[in-house]
Amino acid sequence: MGQIKLYANGGSRNHGCEAILRSTKKILDKDICVYSTAQNEDLENKINEIMEIKENKNDNLKKGSLNYYISAINIKLFKSTLKYTEYTKKTFLEDVKKGDLYLSVGGDNYCYTGLDELGNLNALINKRGAKTVLWGCSVEPDIIKDEKVKKDLNTYSLIVARETLTYNALKESEINKSVLCPDPAFQLDKIDLPLPKGFEENNTVGINVSPLIIDCESKKGRTMENYEGLIKHIIDTTNMQIALIPHVIWDNNDDRKPLRVLYNKFKDTGRVVMLEDHNCMELKGYISRCRFFIGARTHATIAAYSTCVPTLVIGYSVKAKGIAKDIFGTYENYVLPVQSLSNKDDLINSFEWMKDNEDDIRNHLNKFMPEYKEKALQGKVEIEKLLEG
């Protein structure tokens, strides 16, 4: 039986990536190795305590070398980056053993353009006799229309789609090695730390915003204008506290930057608290003690859903809509696409709808979530089939 190896991991300062690693280990309950492009981040968050971490670095392609020219010719004449990936990922690929099972764990990597390296690695791993799995993923339906991407997806031994919009799009495109299974992070454990001053349990609105959604807005400044308006509205019309909760702290994509702008604007009210960085289980512990959660990061909202906190997602892609639809039967009112923020009070209106329907939403989550979370464990069955096959 081969070894389970995880790759396409972005690093644990994105606590969604960390959540996928931790919950995948919990679900599969086997020895696992992760190839990390940000080993320092995974060590910071103690991933080494649950699995082996191997560095996934790019090898130097020396200018003027034979491999350099072969790579350049393939790119220029055949528009193929396969040789480039083969040479720059030489160390990673030398570790591939026949019978190994490689899980691509970047859940939304196929929601964006620039998929050449993922496709190349998929092909090169298979060529060396190992199997590949696209694990806990969302795939933007329009991307599947690209024949090159479709061929790539068909090369995986298994695709585990985390929501039905992706699953149905794959089936319609005749990519038949697909199964439907909730995101592994629905199985993530939580840790309850002492609450900071100003965080009132079960009467605090958790708020998460990311630079990523700001980049996707249709009108410059509209996202932060909506968040500022919402916080002012909560302070003026309710007795609820507000907790600003970052979930990704990468230097070039740090939730704390927009959240600090909001905190500085409202800190003197005594109604707003800003959380600093914590691991994904500790963040889930804070989120679970909110009364409502309004979030941009997928795994921050999964932490809320899975602990039955009424949640509004400020989304930008298929993953937000698909997960909400599977939980509630519709994504209308549960997902507010950032691209649709046209008026300054759009977020206030969505929050008011959620507040008006608070009891119904919470009751639904309490009834629905136990069985839904249990389904996330089915991924283990599919993985064991591949290991035995």
Side-chain angles (χ1 to χ4, degrees), residues 346-364:
D346 285 337
L347 195 47
I348 292 172
N349 293 335
S350 293
F351 172 74
E352 281 297 313
W353 184 89
M354 184 168 62
K355 190 153 65 76
D356 290 344
N357 293 275
E358 175 182 4
D359 291 342
D360 289 342
I361 295 169
R362 187 173 282 105
N363 289 337
H364 172 75

Side-chain angles (χ1 to χ4, degrees), residues 186 301-302 305-306 321-330 334 364-365 368-369 372:
F186 278 95
T301 62
I302 286 174
Y305 285 143
S306 61
K321 292 179 178 178
I323 293 169
K325 181 178 180 294
D326 288 353
I327 293 172
F328 298 106
T330 178
Y334 298 100
H364 172 75
L365 287 170
F368 180 85
M369 200 48 61
Y372 184 73

Side-chain angles (χ1 to χ4, degrees), residues 205 207 222-238 240 242 266 292 294 312-314 333 336 340-357:
V205 181
I207 288 180
R222 184 65 81 198
T223 305
M224 289 298 282
E225 182 183 32
N226 264 261
Y227 271 91
E228 286 178 17
L230 174 65
I231 292 172
K232 186 175 186 303
H233 175 77
I234 293 169
I235 290 170
D236 290 345
T237 66
T238 78
M240 288 183 267
I242 295 151
F266 294 100
F292 297 103
I294 297 163
L312 173 65
V313 182
I314 313 303
N333 294 316
L336 181 60
S340 72
L341 291 175
S342 54
N343 300 308
K344 64 181 181 180
D345 55 355
D346 285 337
L347 195 47
I348 292 172
N349 293 335
S350 293
F351 172 74
E352 281 297 313
W353 184 89
M354 184 168 62
K355 190 153 65 76
D356 290 344
N357 293 275

Side-chain angles (χ1 to χ4, degrees), residues 28-47:
L28 300 183
D29 192 26
K30 296 181 184 298
D31 288 339
I32 291 176
C33 165
V34 58
Y35 291 86
S36 176
T37 56
Q39 195 174 27
N40 61 313
E41 296 182 20
D42 295 328
L43 289 170
E44 281 172 13
N45 287 278
K46 301 182 178 178
I47 296 300

